[in-house]
Amino acid sequence: MTVRKRLLLLMRQAPYASNHPAEAAEIALVAGALDMPIALLFQGPGVWQLLSGQDGSAIGTRTLADILAQLPDYEITDLYVCADSMAQFGLTAADLTLPVRPLSIQAQRDLVAGCHVVLND
Amino acid sequence: MQPDTPSRLTFGIAVQGAPLSSQAPATALRFARAALQAGHGIHRVFFYHDGVQVANRLAALPGSEASPRDGWVELAEHHGIELAVCITSCLKRGLLEGSAGDAGATANIHSSFVVVGLGQLAEMALTCDRVVTFAA
């Protein structure tokens, strides 16, 4: 293997409408455990995945924010959020459970173009 | 930007959507056939989420409907492609391996599919030139 491939996970879905976001978060942890460079971009309703104060036990499921909170333990710190989506939903950095970098649409295009593999939740 | 584009690509295919209630497995199958016909290679097809239902050997469709499972099995056998199903997704949906349960009597995963973990999805992403996802 000559090039270290960089993986991007697009997190686009609301946190509790399906188990897709939780399983995508697990893919991130597996990739992190394999020491693969990985970034996560939260877009659209996916920004709600980052909301503080989640409690999945109320609906008998895991708390997605708890899974995402493990990302820094796997040295996954390339975490980005769509700035427009944040504004659209009236969210600010203070509402979120992890430190994420807001990106413009153009910066998101550049991020996608700079990654070898893009998977979505 | 994507680094150099060789004329022959090795694809990894990720199938998330269920057969019947989504078009994902059938569309992925047509994509795979087209890619092979164009001279490209396919390293692995990774089924997860509802996509694992493709591997159910007990599913029976009327003759007028093409079975995505049979299509994948035929393609995989002809071209030596690995058909991999995510173990977690399978267990959550009652899909069992030959070695599980009561001596295989309840096993319903078709023998052409291998049961793997999410690490194989990451490995596929590392190994292949391109990964294409077919979601629901």
Side-chain angles (χ1 to χ4, degrees):
Chain A
M1 192 170 60
T2 50
V3 184
R4 287 195 83 211
K5 289 201 171 181
R6 191 169 182 222
L7 176 66
L8 175 67
L9 276 173
L10 280 184
M11 309 294 272
R12 304 181 303 178
Q13 302 192 28
Y16 295 99
S18 76
N19 67 352
H20 285 226
E23 295 200 0
E26 285 187 356
I27 291 171
L29 297 180
V30 167
L34 295 173
D35 209 20
M36 209 174 152
I38 178 166
L40 279 79
L41 170 61
F42 297 83
Q43 286 180 326
V47 299
W48 293 103
Q49 297 178 24
L50 294 162
L51 197 69
S52 298
Q54 297 176 32
D55 180 9
S57 69
I59 54 167
T61 190
R62 294 178 297 171
T63 301
L64 179 59
D66 291 349
I67 306 173
L68 294 173
Q70 296 175 51
L71 294 171
D73 299 339
Y74 289 81
E75 292 176 13
I76 300 167
T77 52
D78 283 348
L79 306 174
Y80 305 96
V81 64
C82 170
D84 285 4
S85 303
M86 291 279 285
Q88 186 188 352
F89 292 119
L91 294 170
T92 68
D95 299 311
L96 307 183
T97 183
L98 279 173
V100 289
R101 233 175 92 195
L103 294 183
S104 67
I105 298 292
Q106 183 57 50
Q108 292 172 58
R109 286 195 191 109
D110 294 342
L111 177 66
V112 171
C115 291
H116 294 83
V117 180
V118 183
L119 295 172
N120 30 271
D121 62 3
Chain B
M1 303 309 292
Q2 293 282 4
D4 25 295
T5 304
S7 56
R8 184 190 183 277
L9 294 170
T10 301
F11 283 95
I13 296 178
V15 181
Q16 288 188 358
L20 305 181
S21 64
S22 94
Q23 199 59 25
T27 305
L29 179 59
R30 288 204 306 279
F31 174 85
R33 284 180 182 139
L36 291 165
Q37 202 162 19
H40 300 299
I42 294 171
H43 170 59
R44 173 181 297 138
V45 187
F46 188 92
F47 298 87
Y48 63 132
H49 289 295
D50 287 342
V52 298
Q53 289 167 10
V54 168
N56 191 339
R57 69 174 177 86
L58 301 177
L61 269 64
S64 55
E65 296 177 39
S67 156
R69 176 198 62 220
D70 294 348
W72 278 116
V73 167
E74 190 191 346
L75 194 77
E77 283 175 0
H78 274 88
H79 297 274
I81 299 164
E82 182 184 313
L83 302 177
V85 286
C86 168
I87 186 164
T88 312
S89 299
C90 284
L91 290 173
K92 286 179 179 177
R93 291 165 179 80
L95 283 161
L96 302 173
E97 276 187 274
S99 58
D102 50 352
T106 59
N108 52 356
I109 294 178
H110 190 283
S111 59
S112 292
F113 293 77
V114 291
V115 181
V116 301
L118 274 181
Q120 298 305 106
L121 177 62
E123 191 271 345
M124 181 173 88
L126 278 172
T127 309
C128 295
D129 298 313
R130 298 286 185 279
V131 175
V132 186
T133 298
F134 293 85

